Amino acid sequence: MGTICADNPRLNARLDQAVVQPCRVVVDSAGRLRPDALLFTVEGPVLVVTNGANDQTQHYFDSRTEQIHLPDSSGKIDLEGLLLELGRRGCNDVLVEAGATLVGEFVTRNLVDEYLIYLSPDILGTKSRGMFDASDITKLDEKIELEIIATKQLGVLEEGDHVVVKGGDVGARFLLVAARPLNEPIARYGPFVMNTKIEIEEAINDFSSGFF
C-alpha cells in the first residue's frame, strides 16, 4: 500500500496490442486506499485485501472492485492465505510490485519462487532505502540462499559500435535509445544524476523532505 501512496501507479499492462488486464491485488491493512487512486481509472478487476480492522466499504469502491478480509493470528494480513485464495481464483503467476515492507514479508515468509532483480553499478549508504525489509535476518547462518538462473546485461554502445538484430520468422522487438553526448560534467549518487555534487545534495535534501 505504501507504493500506491507514494507513486499512485495504475498497475496495469500497457502494450500496443489487445491484452486481458490482470487482477490487481492491493494489500491494505491500514485502510488507506481511496476511490480516486489511479488504478481505478483503467480497466481490469481490483481485489482489496485487508485484515478486517479497517473496513473500507465506506469508500464505496466501484462494482468491479472486491474486498476480502484475511487476518492472521498477529493482526497482519495472511499472505499465505492470500496466495491460496489467488490460486483458487486461477492466478498461477503473482507479480509482487511493492516496497521494501511488503516485499520483505514475502521474502521472510519464504513465499517467493523467483526474483527478477535489476541492478545498477552504484553503491548507497546504510541510511538509504533497502530492497527488502528483513530486519529479522541478522546473521550469516540466517541468510536466504538463492540460485542464479540467468543474467542479462543492458549494453551501452560507444561511437563506432554496431547493433545487429535477427528476428527470424516471428520477428523481433527491441528498444534502442540513441543520443549525441552533451559533453557536460556528470555527478552520480545512486539514482540521482546531476551536473554537480551540489545539485546532487540539493536533490537528496528535496527527496528526504518529500519534495522530489
Side-chain angles (χ1 to χ4, degrees), residues 11 20-26 44-48 66 86 89 91:
L11 300 176
V20 177
Q21 291 295 338
C23 175
R24 291 158 296 162
V25 181
V26 180
V46 178
L47 177 64
V48 181
E66 180 183 357
L86 293 177
R89 294 169 180 245
C91 299

Side-chain angles (χ1 to χ4, degrees), residues 18-184:
V19 61
V20 177
Q21 291 295 338
C23 175
R24 291 158 296 162
V25 181
V26 180
V27 178
D28 184 18
S29 59
R32 293 182 291 172
L33 183 63
R34 295 293 182 267
D36 58 354
L38 286 182
L39 64 90
F40 294 112
T41 64
V42 293
E43 296 181 356
V46 178
L47 177 64
V48 181
V49 186
T50 76
N51 60 2
N54 297 281
D55 193 346
Q56 296 168 303
T57 54
Q58 59 186 351
H59 296 316
Y60 303 105
F61 295 123
D62 55 26
S63 58
R64 49 82 184 265
T65 302
E66 180 183 357
Q67 178 174 298
I68 61 175
H69 304 310
L70 288 175
D72 63 11
S73 58
S74 64
K76 297 182 179 180
I77 291 177
D78 182 4
L79 297 180
E80 294 91 338
L82 172 58
L83 293 178
L84 291 173
E85 175 62 26
L86 293 177
R88 285 191 289 268
R89 294 169 180 245
C91 299
N92 295 321
D93 295 293
V94 178
L95 172 63
V96 180
E97 182 178 349
T101 300
L102 182 56
V103 172
E105 290 289 338
F106 274 91
V107 170
T108 55
R109 299 187 192 189
N110 196 27
L111 299 176
V112 182
D113 293 323
E114 182 181 19
Y115 295 84
L116 298 177
I117 301 175
Y118 295 86
L119 299 177
S120 65
D122 301 293
I123 296 177
L124 299 179
T126 56
K127 294 184 179 181
S128 61
R129 188 66 168 166
M131 184 183 301
F132 311 124
D133 184 357
S135 56
D136 293 337
I137 303 176
T138 59
K139 300 178 181 179
L140 188 60
D141 57 3
E142 299 172 343
K143 67 182 182 297
I144 298 175
E145 296 188 14
L146 304 176
E147 178 185 358
I148 298 177
I149 303 300
T151 61
K152 294 183 180 180
Q153 182 175 358
L154 298 177
V156 179
L157 305 178
E158 303 291 343
E159 185 176 355
D161 292 339
H162 300 276
V163 176
V164 178
V165 180
K166 296 182 179 180
D169 296 334
V170 297
R173 300 174 62 190
F174 68 98
L175 176 65
L176 177 63
V177 180
R180 295 183 179 275
L182 297 176
N183 297 319
E184 294 182 354

